[in-house]
Amino acid sequence: MRAFVLPGIILGLALAWLGLRSYDALTRPDVPAQVQAVVQRYAPGIQIGATVRELRPRVSAPLTYVPHLGWVATLRDKTGVSQLRLLVSEQDRAGAGADGDRVDAVELVTASPDAYITVLTDLTTVFRRMPREGCLTTPEPGKYREVRLWTVGDDGGVALVNDFGGNTTFRHTGMVVVALLAYAGPFRGSATLRESWTARSCARLTGLAQ
């Protein structure tokens, strides 16, 4: 009987490992090729659907968990200081942050002067169409963020976000903060963008355009 105990344990562990690998593959979201290509263009090695444990070795700066957001790294590159944000699911955001958290969106934030035009041109080329427009209302009165959104059905999409030129208040005068957010799954408005979303341009929302 004992002769079969060790092989049985090994077989059981192997089956458990295969089961976990299969579950991991099944729970990873399907990410459209265009969306993943955008992520690779601006954040090489980063993949939507991977866990923080898998991505940590590919990030050139320490990752810090920010409650109700996800994991953030401050990067220094030729464009200045940027932030890489590995945004996690609503369920994982409610926790204390763990290496097993799965990334369901990637956001890159920069204040480089040429970033907006460069990224807008790239995204228009990748998706070969003009984006939908929208607006984010921030907690600061008189401060809005413009959104340009490209979606691939309900499989995922990319949002380009920047400060609205008609803002009445500015946290940093003369600085335009640009964010590129890539996500998997259907677009869910405020839930996807992590801020209050309106499907109208900021100009129309604020009455600057009729």
Side-chain angles (χ1 to χ4, degrees), residues 105-176:
V106 173
E107 185 176 24
L108 183 65
V109 182
T110 181
S112 172
D114 300 324
Y116 176 76
I117 294 299
T118 299
V119 178
L120 178 63
T121 301
D122 285 349
L123 295 180
T124 303
T125 301
V126 170
F127 291 96
R128 298 182 181 179
R129 65 179 184 273
M130 298 304 294
R132 294 164 52 190
E133 291 191 14
C135 187
L136 298 178
T137 303
T138 74
E140 292 185 46
K143 187 173 187 296
Y144 301 89
R145 302 269 285 157
E146 292 183 310
V147 179
R148 285 167 176 80
L149 177 70
W150 293 261
T151 59
V152 184
D154 286 334
D155 296 327
V158 173
L160 179 61
V161 185
N162 67 287
D163 294 329
F164 174 50
N167 284 340
T168 57
T169 61
F170 293 90
R171 181 173 297 178
H172 304 288
T173 303
M175 178 182 292
V176 178

Side-chain angles (χ1 to χ4, degrees), residues 71-123:
W71 295 83
V72 178
T74 298
L75 309 175
R76 293 186 178 275
D77 55 28
K78 63 182 180 180
T79 66
V81 178
S82 299
Q83 266 193 357
L84 172 67
R85 299 174 179 177
L86 305 179
L87 306 180
V88 298
S89 68
E90 187 174 355
Q91 179 179 349
D92 286 339
R93 289 199 302 273
D99 272 5
D101 290 348
R102 193 170 295 284
V103 176
D104 68 1
V106 173
E107 185 176 24
L108 183 65
V109 182
T110 181
S112 172
D114 300 324
Y116 176 76
I117 294 299
T118 299
V119 178
L120 178 63
T121 301
D122 285 349
L123 295 180

Side-chain angles (χ1 to χ4, degrees), residues 11-68:
L11 178 61
L13 290 174
L15 291 174
W17 181 83
L18 288 172
L20 287 173
R21 295 291 292 180
S22 298
Y23 174 80
D24 183 68
L26 290 173
T27 55
R28 283 177 182 257
D30 291 326
V31 183
Q34 303 101 306
V35 175
Q36 190 57 52
V38 170
V39 174
Q40 290 300 306
R41 169 72 174 84
Y42 295 103
I46 303 303
Q47 184 177 11
I48 297 172
T51 62
V52 173
R53 180 182 297 108
E54 292 170 320
L55 297 181
R56 190 184 294 278
R58 307 176 194 176
V59 181
S60 60
L63 280 168
T64 302
Y65 181 71
V66 177
H68 309 297

